[in-house]
């Protein structure tokens, strides 16, 4: 609480300072303001560009061009204007007369760039928004959307075969389970298919991806770190289809209009590695496939605009994975062991937005989900869970030009709730917690967790916030969220605030602070109803400077103080005894030209934990001091070739050394004696990924082929260390030396 | 946040378990390989002691060249059990307390009637030519008398052998004849063992030379016994 008071006090101290500066500037400027008629055109066609956003030097709120690409603005002679329009390079011009005719340069049609639109829609420092075409051309990802987020500053670089990579995304020194990944506003249970690190949503079905590494709005709860929000693709006004085949799977996406007011998008994908993977494994190998891994996924989205004030959408997303392995008896196993994993889910999301003429807006979403999971790995290890879930979210807002002496006021209030029924039958080794040296080992000897029964879980949250411009340069948002974790009987209050300042037309400052909580509902945390939610107090300060000509630089510093973290006591029982802190700095620089794109992301961070009030500080499992990503791509003049490359360097992963081991004669097993937790690191990871796209323009469409090579110079980074039976010998489990990926895509 | 995080994490954990063997691991020593000095088993004779009964702690060790049965010279009983298991005539010989003390300690630990209190005893021995002491923890059961299983006979292709001679690349089936309910662990200085943690194993002779073949049996309640036979691999 004291921490939060400090944050609030900091905001209180900063606000008067930053308000004074623009007020003086505004007073000075108003005496020389002139009225300027602006028209914005497509530089290639000369056609007007409606809805272009123009920010006048020092003002918080942009003005928007009308249908004819025109708008009238006022400002002092010499003031800078920043113009932005989706699909076009941003431009910076100055007022030098009563008319301005600006031509924007269109980004390449199949843009290979990764664009950070830090000023919209969110104002959080360090936030980014990436479009489908941008995501699917990141080298080293095989075109997979979620793999592409790992180039962002603040996202920890992990091996594609590490537990962290399988679990989600590590954002700003936090557990993957401290962040949420949303699809059309709701969680999905599974990010990746069981094999090949393919995300469950094909790139062609994604519209964009928004990245909020911290300091997010009160409308989001249940996370103490960051958010990644994926928006699925809506159908266009013309029929369009895309077919993509790779060595792993095939995907078909079709979208188009349904009458005058509706659109559809349908995506279907099926892996076919099962057709040949089994044949690649020798008959006498210790591991073989009974059923080779295969997956399906599908996505249907319908959009409907019954009137100009209403928009409704229905999304159905589903996935089905099956893998069955046979481990033949040998070595220490005297009998064959079968491993089967069968996961499936279907999530349905209905949403609607209504806007009135007088500034009211209602944003609604309801969702249901059915999910099944079956894992069978011998008589003492099985998981069978069937779930049914219902959720809803409603937010009402009112926009006002002026209210209570403030301008551009938006008042919002919302409510969300979900209820989940799960029929559970599990017998699994207890999962090692963060910081547990056994966490890196697949330890079948860990104490078992048994549960058989039906669990109900109901959580809810309410929030309210007010946004307003304090001056022509300053905009602030302040709000609070209250979550209701009914199973625990806990109702944490989470105040949050944001401050945005346009120092000049090309310089911005952003400050955000708030409290965030995560309920203890991960794995066997659920079985303990006396726990408190984990909590984090975050403060983020960021600056951004646009150099013009597509060059931009962002700098963000942050600090997150975590309390009530769950740690296991000596008996393996969860307690809220842990504390943690993460602080760091992020730099993002982009250079974007017509045919060239450059990206530099650097993260410097430190993430530490204290497992008990008197325990020593230790490094977090995924602490990563340095992470540098340099990426570039170039499109040839004839638009037929795209060459891209990405070089990444990241500090190694902390691990706990084994100091010695004691032989337990009766169990015929060596028990490790660990050294200081996370006191050593694996070697630094670095790799070069390259990608080449070749595009052929055929009748009414295009055919594109790509070759994506991950880890070109074959640096095998360490995933984790493995010890022999008595811990005297240690060997590194290394990532694959090189991963080529080829694919073919046709578009009509 | 939601309960289905349970699922995603379990799936990840299971998938990771599948991935690791697919990535491949370093070439590490297997438990059946006798390639450096270590303790193979510690035997308490008897493994379970009634009040005032004594037990002797010996071990089967591989000293880097041969297998030896040695008396454990350094034995430490944890402080909470110091009144229950007392040093006797020699460092490796320990005696259970009298019936009154044993009954009191068992009651204090809420041990059900008729069952023993398991005392973890740390044992070690220092051998000439071996770096550092060789250590092993043995659980001595106090309160109820028990006995070790009978040392098993070693059968090669179904025939009992007291000395095994194989030709290079010869493959033989090993089996150990013991009482039901025992677990078996094989180890060898030469060759390659498959199913080394089963009663019936397979040995493939590889490099030439003289060594030893060992089988250790355990009854799961502290009883342990072993048999070791000379092994020769000839051209």
């Amino acid at each position: 609480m004291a921490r939060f008071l400090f944050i609030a006090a900091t905001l209180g101290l900063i606000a008067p300072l930053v308000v004074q500066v623009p007020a003086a500037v505004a007073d000075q400027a108003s005496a020389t303001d002139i009225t300027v008629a602006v028209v914005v055109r497509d530089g290639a066609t000369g056609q007007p560009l409606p809805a272009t956003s123009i920010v006048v030097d020092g003002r918080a709120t942009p003005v928007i061009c009308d249908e004819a690409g025109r708008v009238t603005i006022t400002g002092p002679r010499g003031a800078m204007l920043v113009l932005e329009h989706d699909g076009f390079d941003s431009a910076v011009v100055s007022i030098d007369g009563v008319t301005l005719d600006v031509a924007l340069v269109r980004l390449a049609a199949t843009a290979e760039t990764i664009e950070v639109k830090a000023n919209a829609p969110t104002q959080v420092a360090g936030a980014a928004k990436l479009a489908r075409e941008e995501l699917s051309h990141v080298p080293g990802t095989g075109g997979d959307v979620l793999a592409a987020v790992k180039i962002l500053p603040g996202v920890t670089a992990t091996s594609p075969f590490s537990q962290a990579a399988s679990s989600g995304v590590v954002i700003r020194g936090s557990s993957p389970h401290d962040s949420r990944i949303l699809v059309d506003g709701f969680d999905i249970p599974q990010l990746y298919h069981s094999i090949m690190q393919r995300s469950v949503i094909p790139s062609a079905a994604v519209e964009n991806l928004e990245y909020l590494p911290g300091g997010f709005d009160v409308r989001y709860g249940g996370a103490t770190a960051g958010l990644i929000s994926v928006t699925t693709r809506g159908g266009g006004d013309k029929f369009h289809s895309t077919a993509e085949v790779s060595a792993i799977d095939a995907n078909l996406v079709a979208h188009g209009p349904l009458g005058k007011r509706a659109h559809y998008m349908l995506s279907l994908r099926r892996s076919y590695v099962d057709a040949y993977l089994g044949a690649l494994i020798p008959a006498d190998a210790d591991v073989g496939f009974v059923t080779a891994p295969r997956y399906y996924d599908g996505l249907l989205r319908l959009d409907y605009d019954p009137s100009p004030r209403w928009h409704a959408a229905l999304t159905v997303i589903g996935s089905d994975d099956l893998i069955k392995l046979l481990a033949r008896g040998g070595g220490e196993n005297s009998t064959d062991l079968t491993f089967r994993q069968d996961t499936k889910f279907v999530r349905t999301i209905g949403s609607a937005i209504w806007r009135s003429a007088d500034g009211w807006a209602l944003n609604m979403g309801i969702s249901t989900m059915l999910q099944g999971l079956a894992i069978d790995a011998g008589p003492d290890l099985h998981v069978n869970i069937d779930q049914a879930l219902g959720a809803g979210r409603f937010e009402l807002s009112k926009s006002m030009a002026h209210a209570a002496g403030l301008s551009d006021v938006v008042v919002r209030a919302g409510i969300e709730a979900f209820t989940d029924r799960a029929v559970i039958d599990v017998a699994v080794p207890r999962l090692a917690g963060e910081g547990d040296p056994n966490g890196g080992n697949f330890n079948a000897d860990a104490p078992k967790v048994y549960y058989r029964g039906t669990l109900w879980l109901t959580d809810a949250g309410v929030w309210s916030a007010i946004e307003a411009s304090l001056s022509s340069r300053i905009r602030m948002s302040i709000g609070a969220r209250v979550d209701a974790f009914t199973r625990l009987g806990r109702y944490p209050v989470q105040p949050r605030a944001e401050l945005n300042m346009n120092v000049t037309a090309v310089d911005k400052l952003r400050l955000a602070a708030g409290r965030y909580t995560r309920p203890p509902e991960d794995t066997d945390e659920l079985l303990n109803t006396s726990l408190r939610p984990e909590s984090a107090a975050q403060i983020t300060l960021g600056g951004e400077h646009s150099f013009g000509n597509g060059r931009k630089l962002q700098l963000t510093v942050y600090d997150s103080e975590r309390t009530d973290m769950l740690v296991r006591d000596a008996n393996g029982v969860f307690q809220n005894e842990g504390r943690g802190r993460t602080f760091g700095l992020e730099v993002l620089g982009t250079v974007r030209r017509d045919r060239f794109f450059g990206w530099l992301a650097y993260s410097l961070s430190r993430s530490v934990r204290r497992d008990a009030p008197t325990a020593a500080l230790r490094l977090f499992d995924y602490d990563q001091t340095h992470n540098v990503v340099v990426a570039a791509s170039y499109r040839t003049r004839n638009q037929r070739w795209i060459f891209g490359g990405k070089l990444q360097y990241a500090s190694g992963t902390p691990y706990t050394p084994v100091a010695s081991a004691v032989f337990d004669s009766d169990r015929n097993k060596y028990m490790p004696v660990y050294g200081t937790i996370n006191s050593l690191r694996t070697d630094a990871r670095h790799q070069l990924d390259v990608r080449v796209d070749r595009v052929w323009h055929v009748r009414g469409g295009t055919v594109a082929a790509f070759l994506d090579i991950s880890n070109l110079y074959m640096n095998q980074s360490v995933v984790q260390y493995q010890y022999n039976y008595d811990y005297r010998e240690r060997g590194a489990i290394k990532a694959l030396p090189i991963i080529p990926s080829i694919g073919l895509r046709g578009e009509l | 946040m939601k309960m289905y995080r349970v699922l995603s994490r379990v799936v990840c954990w299971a998938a990771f378990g599948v991935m690791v063997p697919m990535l491949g691991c370093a070439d590490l020593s297997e438990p059946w390989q006798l390639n450096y000095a270590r303790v193979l088993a510690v035997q308490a004779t008897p493994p379970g002691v009634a009040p005032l009964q004594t037990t002797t702690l010996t071990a089967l060790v591989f000293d880097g060249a041969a297998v030896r049965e040695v008396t454990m010279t350094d034995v430490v009983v944890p402080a909470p059990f110091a009144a229950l298991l007392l040093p006797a005539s020699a460092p490796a010989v320990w005696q259970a307390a009298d019936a009154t003390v044993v009954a009191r300690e068992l009651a204090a630990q809420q041990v059900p009637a008729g069952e023993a209190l398991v005392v973890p005893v740390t044992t070690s021995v220092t051998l000439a030519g071996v770096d550092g002491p060789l250590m092993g923890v043995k659980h001595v059961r106090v309160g109820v008398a028990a006995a070790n299983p009978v040392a098993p006979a070693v059968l090669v292709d179904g025939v009992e052998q007291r000395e095994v001679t194989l030709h290079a690349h010869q493959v033989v089936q090993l089996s150990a004849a013991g009482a039901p309910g025992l677990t078996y662990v094989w180890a060898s200085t030469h060759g390659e063992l498959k199913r080394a943690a089963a009663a019936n194993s397979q040995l493939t002779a590889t490099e030439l030379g003289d060594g030893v073949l060992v089988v250790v049996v355990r009854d799961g309640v502290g009883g342990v016994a072993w048999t070791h036979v000379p092994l020769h691999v000839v051209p």
Side-chain angles (χ1 to χ4, degrees):
Chain A
M1 193 60 191
R3 170 85 184 164
F4 196 77
L5 288 173
F6 168 75
I7 294 170
T10 304
L11 270 177
L13 286 172
I14 290 173
L17 292 175
V18 292
V19 168
Q20 285 172 6
V21 176
V25 174
D27 290 342
Q28 202 174 30
S30 59
T32 56
D33 276 358
I34 58 174
T35 301
V36 185
V38 182
V39 59
V40 185
R41 303 176 194 279
D42 182 336
T45 65
Q47 294 298 308
L49 284 177
T52 299
S53 160
I54 303 177
V55 175
V56 185
D57 187 359
R59 293 181 189 167
T61 310
V63 292
I64 307 297
C65 293
D66 62 15
E67 290 296 313
R70 295 178 182 278
V71 70
T72 301
I73 61 170
T74 57
R77 190 176 292 276
M80 305 295 285
L81 306 181
V82 178
L83 296 88
E84 293 187 330
H85 190 102
D86 280 350
F88 290 80
D89 200 354
S90 56
V92 179
V93 298
S94 61
I95 297 177
D96 57 2
V98 294
T99 61
L100 268 177
D101 195 334
V102 185
L104 297 185
V105 177
R106 182 182 289 274
L107 296 173
T110 52
E112 72 281 21
T113 55
I114 301 150
E115 184 188 2
V116 175
K117 300 171 183 171
N119 61 335
T122 178
Q123 300 290 307
V124 178
K129 190 172 183 179
L130 298 97
R132 176 183 63 256
E133 289 296 339
E134 300 158 349
L135 289 162
S136 57
H137 286 78
V138 176
T141 63
D144 192 84
V145 168
L146 288 173
V149 304
K150 295 180 181 176
I151 66 166
L152 290 162
V155 175
T156 298
T158 53
S159 163
F161 296 99
S162 68
Q163 277 181 303
S166 302
S167 305
V169 181
V170 178
I171 298 175
R172 287 185 179 167
S174 64
S175 161
H177 304 284
D178 293 338
S179 298
R180 292 176 67 189
I181 299 185
L182 308 175
V183 175
D184 288 346
F186 290 90
D187 300 84
I188 56 171
Q190 183 184 338
L191 300 179
Y192 299 102
H193 288 295
S194 303
I195 56 164
M196 311 309 288
Q197 284 284 297
R198 301 285 276 183
S199 55
V200 295
I201 306 175
S203 299
V206 171
E207 182 62 38
N208 62 46
L209 180 148
E210 190 177 356
Y211 169 63
L212 302 170
F216 46 85
D217 187 78
V218 291
R219 72 177 55 151
Y220 299 112
T224 54
L227 287 174
I228 290 177
S229 179
V230 176
T231 302
T232 58
R233 183 182 190 178
D237 289 332
K238 294 180 179 176
F239 174 77
H240 190 89
S241 64
T242 304
E244 183 167 324
V245 294
S246 69
I248 300 167
D249 55 30
N251 175 217
L252 176 68
V253 174
H255 65 92
L258 282 174
K260 291 184 177 177
R261 292 179 176 176
H263 299 84
Y264 73 95
M265 190 279 294
L266 175 67
S267 167
L268 295 170
R269 182 165 61 173
R270 208 275 194 203
S271 71
Y272 40 68
V273 283
D274 51 329
Y276 59 83
L277 201 56
L280 298 178
I281 297 177
D284 60 347
D286 288 340
V287 177
F289 289 113
V290 177
T291 302
R294 66 109 182 100
Y295 57 77
Y296 299 90
D297 59 53
L299 200 155
L300 171 66
R301 177 174 168 140
L302 300 172
D303 287 82
Y304 180 52
D305 298 288
S307 77
R309 302 204 178 282
W310 277 94
H311 174 78
L314 175 71
T315 306
V316 182
I317 177 171
S319 172
D320 185 345
D321 288 36
L322 177 65
I323 182 172
K324 198 169 181 181
L325 287 171
L326 178 70
R328 297 186 179 87
E332 288 301 287
N333 299 317
S334 57
T335 56
D336 291 351
L337 179 69
T338 300
F339 172 86
R340 181 179 70 94
Q341 180 179 313
D342 189 357
T343 57
K344 51 182 69 112
F345 76 89
V346 176
R347 178 135 215 170
T348 305
I349 301 166
S351 62
I353 299 171
W354 167 79
R355 295 179 197 280
S356 76
D358 55 353
W360 287 96
L362 181 61
N363 197 330
M364 300 167 280
I366 56 171
S367 177
T368 62
M369 185 171 72
L370 296 174
Q371 183 183 3
L373 168 70
I375 295 176
D376 202 337
D380 298 324
L381 199 166
H382 67 265
V383 176
N384 287 291
I385 304 178
D386 291 303
Q387 289 186 95
L389 178 147
R393 175 183 298 124
F394 303 87
E395 186 181 78
L396 182 66
S397 64
K398 167 72 172 168
S399 301
M400 295 163 281
H402 299 281
L406 302 169
S407 59
D408 298 326
V409 179
V410 179
V411 180
R412 294 184 286 118
I415 184 169
E416 67 178 352
F418 81 89
T419 187
D420 189 0
R421 178 182 184 272
V423 180
I424 301 173
D425 177 11
V426 296
V428 291
R430 194 174 65 203
L431 299 175
E434 191 278 324
D436 185 339
N438 289 305
N441 298 324
F442 187 67
N443 187 5
D445 290 333
K448 297 284 193 304
V449 175
Y450 296 97
Y451 185 85
R452 179 179 289 182
T454 301
L455 261 177
W456 280 91
L457 186 64
T458 301
D459 287 346
V462 294
W463 65 89
S464 183
I466 179 168
E467 300 170 30
S469 295
L470 305 181
S471 75
S472 61
R473 293 172 181 265
I474 306 290
R475 187 161 180 82
M476 189 164 184
S477 167
I478 187 163
R481 178 186 177 91
V482 180
D483 277 311
F485 304 130
T486 60
R487 185 172 171 79
L488 308 176
R490 304 280 179 179
Y491 307 93
V493 179
Q494 301 149 81
R496 299 173 193 173
E498 295 165 24
L499 188 67
N500 296 281
M501 176 179 175
N502 289 341
V503 181
T504 69
V506 293
D507 294 294
K508 296 171 184 171
L509 278 178
R510 291 172 184 137
L511 177 66
R515 185 180 180 221
Y516 300 82
T517 61
R518 177 183 83 81
E521 294 171 358
D522 180 25
T523 61
D524 52 334
E525 295 167 4
L526 272 169
L527 305 181
N528 185 345
T529 55
S530 63
L531 296 173
R532 297 186 299 276
E534 289 192 352
S535 184
Q538 297 183 4
I539 183 163
T540 310
L541 175 65
E544 177 186 312
H545 177 75
S546 297
F547 296 93
N549 294 324
R551 295 172 299 165
K552 192 179 285 186
L553 183 68
Q554 289 179 317
L555 175 69
T556 306
V557 293
Y558 63 89
D559 185 8
S560 180
E561 192 87 25
R562 303 170 196 281
T563 52
D564 285 336
M565 300 190 75
L566 297 179
V567 293
R568 291 189 193 273
D569 64 15
N571 298 317
V573 178
F574 278 116
Q575 306 289 347
N576 286 101
E577 293 286 301
R579 297 180 70 92
R581 186 183 178 199
T582 307
F583 54 95
L585 173 151
E586 295 158 4
V587 178
L588 176 62
T590 53
V591 178
R592 194 171 62 220
R593 297 280 193 272
D594 186 26
R595 290 183 287 117
F596 173 79
F597 173 76
W599 171 282
L600 168 65
Y602 171 66
S603 304
L604 172 69
S605 78
R606 179 86 169 171
S607 187
V608 292
R609 300 287 186 272
R610 195 188 296 279
D611 293 326
T614 57
L617 276 177
R618 62 168 178 81
L619 285 181
F620 170 62
D621 275 357
Y622 302 113
D623 174 72
Q624 194 161 71
T625 309
H626 304 285
N627 184 12
V628 187
V629 181
V630 182
S633 64
Y634 175 76
R635 180 189 299 272
T636 58
R637 194 176 297 277
N638 61 14
Q639 308 284 325
R640 290 177 181 165
W641 293 91
I642 306 168
F643 301 96
K646 174 167 68 76
L647 182 65
Q648 184 158 27
Y649 171 91
S651 303
T653 307
Y655 73 93
T656 304
V658 175
S660 61
V662 176
F663 177 59
D664 181 338
S665 173
D666 289 353
R667 296 176 64 199
N668 189 37
K669 186 173 177 64
Y670 284 81
M671 311 305 293
V673 178
Y674 290 104
T676 306
I677 295 174
N678 289 342
S679 55
L680 297 177
R681 283 184 192 274
T682 61
D683 293 338
R685 300 179 62 234
H686 52 90
Q687 70 177 56
L688 174 66
D689 307 329
V690 295
R691 181 180 172 110
V692 179
D693 290 72
R694 174 69 164 95
V695 182
W696 292 271
H697 296 275
V698 294
R699 279 179 242 163
T702 60
V703 175
F706 72 85
L707 171 64
D708 192 322
I709 302 176
S710 181
N711 199 9
L712 183 69
Y713 58 80
M714 295 192 283
N715 174 50
Q716 283 189 272
S717 61
V718 175
V719 176
Q720 70 172 64
Y721 289 110
Q722 186 185 46
Y723 293 87
N724 76 329
Y725 66 95
D726 66 355
Y727 295 87
R728 285 198 208 190
E729 300 172 0
R730 189 184 77 175
I733 299 173
K734 295 185 174 181
L736 295 175
I738 188 168
I739 308 174
S741 174
I742 56 173
L744 194 65
R745 184 172 58 182
E747 293 190 34
L748 287 175
Chain B
M1 144 180 178
K2 312 295 188 295
M3 192 187 308
Y4 44 71
R5 279 195 167 171
V6 177
L7 312 188
S8 62
R9 187 145 184 232
V10 170
V11 168
C12 297
W13 170 85
F16 184 73
V18 173
M19 281 178 205
V20 167
M22 293 174 84
L23 289 176
C25 302
D27 192 14
L28 302 175
S29 295
E30 296 281 351
W32 57 262
Q33 288 179 296
L34 295 177
N35 51 359
Y36 49 72
R38 63 182 164 110
V39 175
L40 298 175
V42 180
Q43 187 182 55
T45 307
V49 284
L52 295 176
Q53 193 176 1
T54 60
T55 186
T56 303
L57 295 161
T58 55
L60 182 70
V61 302
F62 178 67
D63 63 8
V67 165
R68 298 157 59 179
E69 293 179 25
V70 298
T71 301
M72 302 307 272
T73 52
D74 295 305
V75 178
V76 177
V77 173
F81 305 103
L84 198 61
L85 199 58
L86 308 163
S89 55
V93 181
W94 289 71
Q95 183 180 37
D98 62 39
T100 307
V101 174
V102 169
R104 186 188 67 211
E105 293 293 319
L106 265 62
Q109 298 291 329
Q110 298 181 325
V111 176
E115 294 188 15
L117 182 61
V118 179
V119 178
V121 178
T122 302
T123 69
S124 64
V125 63
T126 302
L127 300 178
V130 176
D131 290 338
L134 297 175
M135 298 180 64
V137 172
K138 177 66 188 177
H139 295 89
V140 178
R141 285 157 167 77
V142 178
V144 178
N148 285 309
V150 176
V154 172
L155 281 67
V156 178
D157 286 337
V159 180
E160 183 174 346
Q161 303 282 353
R162 295 182 184 278
E163 189 163 356
V164 180
T165 301
L166 302 175
H167 294 286
H169 308 300
Q170 185 179 351
V171 180
V172 293
Q173 303 302 317
L174 304 176
S175 53
L182 298 177
T183 60
Y184 297 77
V185 174
W186 296 85
S188 173
T189 53
H190 288 67
E192 251 184 56
L193 281 169
K194 284 190 176 177
R195 300 186 301 277
N200 300 307
S201 180
Q202 176 181 293
L203 175 64
T204 302
T206 52
E207 72 276 31
L208 306 180
D210 299 325
V212 64
L213 178 66
V214 180
V215 60
V216 178
V217 295
R218 293 176 171 84
D219 63 8
V221 288
V224 62
W226 52 69
T227 299
H228 50 96
V229 297
L231 172 66
H232 311 286
V233 181
V234 298

